Amino acid sequence: MLLEVQNLYVSYGKIKALWGVNIVVNKGEVVALIGANGAGKSSLLRSIMGLVRIETGTIRYDGRNITSWKPWDRARLGIGFVPEGARTFPDLTVEENLIIGGVLSPHKRAVANAMQRVFELFPILKERRTQLARTLSGGERQMLSIGRALMSNPTLLLVDEITLGLMPIMVAQVFSVLCQLNSAGITILLAEQNVREALSLAGRGYVLENGRIKLEGSAQELRENEAVKKAYLGI
Ligand code: ATP
């Protein structure tokens, strides 16, 4: 087991975002987190990255209890995060945005190698390497956001709603990249509102509702589940 979240509670003041969430992600898997707006998907991913204060619960990664670790230490350990909304630095170039993603790397050479791999994966970013991020299209910014997370050579990639607002053709492209990354050995935990695509990439999934895990199962079980079909697949 690579990641284990146990009995996680998160609140923002009076708003309870997560209520006793338990999930497990095994090495090599793609796991989908499904749920409506406000269900708690981002809160769960951000808790795993160490970006929100949790009330109670335990987060274990690769056998270690990382519950109180700082985000950068989790990044060093191999957890990468692609935040919702492709947050890139608009006034920095593509290359500079990537360098920031590699800032935890001990050697310049490692940064250069990681950037090379990102450019192989996203040739368009290589073409645009000297352009400011603000001049990229939505899809290109999304790729830059993934590329930046890859600069730290993550073993586990947490991906938050990256297809939001993208045209269907870009959605397909982004999923194909995620599939490639998984084939290359990266484990992926994916919050996604494109449930059909998410369940075709993922082997397993969890359905979050009002901060609780409502359902879990293989992608096939979830696809065939009547409640999932009705609420998320529009069937
Ligand atoms: P979305 O897809 O809309 O991002 P989500 O499933 O990712 O939804 P979260 O963003 O985790 O859900 O939100 C869970 C609940 O916590 C929601 O009720 C949301 O309004 C609330 N919430 C999230 N972040 C904060 C915050 N910083 N302050 C106050 N409430 C918050």
Side-chain angles (χ1 to χ4, degrees):
M1 175 186 323
L2 186 62
L3 174 77
E4 184 183 25
V5 174
Q6 277 179 321
N7 204 26
L8 187 66
Y9 284 79
V10 169
S11 298
Y12 305 102
K14 283 195 182 126
I15 299 169
K16 299 227 178 293
L18 297 175
W19 299 64
V21 166
N22 294 290
I23 69 161
V24 160
V25 178
N26 297 305
K27 216 169 186 153
E29 281 191 305
V30 177
V31 175
L33 283 177
I34 295 162
N37 282 326
K41 304 178 299 296
S42 298
S43 298
L44 178 52
L45 294 181
R46 294 170 61 79
S47 306
I48 297 166
M49 197 64 225
L51 299 169
V52 285
R53 201 178 60 81
I54 69 172
E55 266 171 89
T56 53
T58 311
I59 300 171
R60 281 202 180 77
Y61 178 80
D62 213 7
R64 294 179 221 216
N65 184 341
I66 61 163
T67 314
S68 54
W69 287 35
K70 297 290 183 203
W72 49 89
D73 290 326
R74 300 183 197 212
R76 266 195 202 100
L77 197 58
I79 307 180
F81 182 49
V82 184
E84 192 175 342
R87 283 189 215 115
T88 54
F89 298 99
D91 295 315
L92 297 182
T93 65
V94 165
E95 206 163 34
E96 288 164 344
N97 267 279
L98 291 176
I99 288 170
I100 287 177
V103 82
L104 293 175
S105 287
H107 306 296
K108 271 203 169 135
R109 170 140 217 110
V111 175
N113 287 343
M115 196 177 301
Q116 194 51 42
R117 279 199 302 276
V118 169
F119 285 155
E120 276 162 25
L121 198 60
F122 302 112
I124 190 75
L125 293 184
K126 188 172 185 182
E127 261 175 55
R128 307 236 186 286
R129 63 198 294 169
T130 58
Q131 243 173 267
L132 297 184
R134 68 160 72 250
T135 66
L136 300 178
S137 73
E140 289 162 357
R141 246 196 320 271
Q142 211 52 276
M143 290 176 193
L144 179 56
S145 177
I146 301 173
R148 192 178 57 196
L150 293 176
M151 289 294 292
S152 59
N153 292 319
T155 306
L156 170 67
L157 196 58
L158 309 171
V159 183
D160 197 1
E161 307 261 3
I162 49 168
T163 62
L164 207 69
L166 292 187
M167 291 184 303
I169 182 154
M170 290 307 306
V171 172
Q173 242 184 66
V174 166
F175 272 98
S176 135
V177 164
L178 293 179
C179 184
Q180 262 176 281
L181 294 178
N182 182 242
S183 306
I186 299 181
T187 305
I188 298 175
L189 178 60
L190 176 76
E192 190 52 63
Q193 293 207 13
N194 273 303
V195 174
R196 202 178 304 271
E197 285 82 359
L199 289 180
S200 65
L201 177 69
R204 286 193 307 120
Y206 294 90
V207 178
L208 262 174
E209 267 178 42
N210 299 320
R212 293 185 171 91
I213 302 286
K214 232 356 200 313
L215 261 178
E216 59 178 284
S218 70
Q220 191 179 349
E221 282 164 353
L222 294 179
R223 268 196 305 266
E224 289 168 0
N225 181 284
E226 288 305 321
V228 172
K229 276 193 198 170
K230 219 169 147 190
Y232 303 105
L233 296 173
I235 303 175

